[in-house]
Amino acid sequence: MPFIATPDGTEIFYKDWGSGQPVVFSHGWPLSSDAWDTQLKLLADHGFRAIAHDRRGHGRSTQTWDGNTMDQYADDLGTLIDRLNLRDAILVGHSTGGGEVTRYMGRHGTSRVAKAVLVGAVPPLMLKTDANPEGTPKEAFDAIRAGLAADRSQFYRDLSAPFYGANRPGSTVSHGLRDQFWRLGMQVSLKAAYDCVAQFSETDFTEDLKRIDVPVLVAQGDDDQIVPIRAAAYKSVQLLKDAGLKVYPGASHGIHGAYEREFDADLLAFCRA
């Protein structure tokens, strides 16, 4: 299996499919690169080089005790991009992965980046504050940490319902998809999963978004129960220099079903443009 080693010795697993202009995918919490398989195949089938990695502590990458920070996630992504010598790359980030992509561009610049896609992404800030009243109260994230510490297996099973909108009337979410969420979540070390909650909820990406000088597609479902769209996509497009917004009516946080088919078409069109 392909790995790259970061300066602190962490082994980062990645998939590298197809050839052509590189499209690099960053996954959400608590998943891995496997969550992007449909999009990896789609892009590789259409003449792109599709790449996705497992964040440190997740999937097949090293389960480090330290380094579970947004800055380190961004630096790990930078190491992957540098080691593979990627140029003119398109970066795609979902949820926490959208934060990782945003922090990478804010921290390392865009010299290797052509454009980016943020889908259901956590920027600019998830946490409710006086300056961000649309955010989510800290108590909600404390409950996530408590659920992880008490019984993470059951917690992930329960979380898969709002993640994919399975708790909505008429939901067609399959048991298999929810099982996949649980399976990928259980591959994350407890320490990495626990630490990452603060990173995706409390990191302020406002200044990172302002620094991004490449075209960005901001996409999100308006029934996202995990990342409120009013605190995320609607605010991000106002901070970016060159952004387009796509809202998917009734769509959840997790990408699946009709939402996934529509997003895939939009992703491919954006990459080709």
Side-chain angles (χ1 to χ4, degrees), residues 240-258:
L240 290 158
K241 293 181 174 67
D242 182 2
L245 174 65
K246 179 62 184 287
V247 177
Y248 300 92
S252 62
H253 186 63
I255 305 170
H256 70 97

Side-chain angles (χ1 to χ4, degrees), residues 47-156:
F48 292 89
R49 180 182 178 187
I51 300 164
H53 67 290
D54 293 352
R55 188 170 299 120
R56 64 169 59 213
H58 297 62
R60 289 138 292 203
S61 293
T62 305
Q63 294 193 358
T64 57
W65 181 259
D66 297 314
N68 302 305
T69 69
M70 194 58 65
D71 284 351
Q72 186 63 64
Y73 300 155
D75 290 351
D76 291 347
L77 175 59
T79 298
L80 177 72
I81 290 171
D82 290 347
R83 295 284 174 81
L84 298 182
N85 195 25
L86 304 181
R87 305 279 181 180
D88 200 31
I90 301 168
L91 306 184
V92 184
H94 174 244
S95 194
T96 300
E100 179 179 283
V101 163
T102 299
R103 178 53 54 91
Y104 166 78
M105 290 186 284
R107 190 169 168 87
H108 295 276
T110 58
S111 63
R112 291 178 177 268
V113 181
K115 58 183 77 170
V117 179
L118 304 178
V119 54
V122 297
L125 174 63
M126 281 193 72
L127 187 68
K128 182 177 182 178
T129 64
D130 290 342
N132 187 44
E134 299 84 6
T136 302
K138 185 175 183 294
E139 290 75 15
F141 303 112
D142 290 340
I144 293 174
R145 283 182 280 260
L148 289 172
D151 184 350
R152 64 184 177 129
S153 181
Q154 187 60 50
F155 175 78
Y156 289 141

Side-chain angles (χ1 to χ4, degrees), residues 94-95 119-121 159-168 171-173 177 219-229 246-260 263:
H94 174 244
S95 194
V119 54
L159 182 61
S160 69
F163 193 94
Y164 290 110
N167 56 348
R168 297 305 200 206
S171 169
T172 58
V173 179
L177 185 59
Q220 189 165 9
D222 68 1
D223 192 32
D224 190 325
Q225 300 174 66
I226 307 299
V227 179
I229 192 170
K246 179 62 184 287
V247 177
Y248 300 92
S252 62
H253 186 63
I255 305 170
H256 70 97
Y259 170 25
E260 183 170 35
F263 170 71

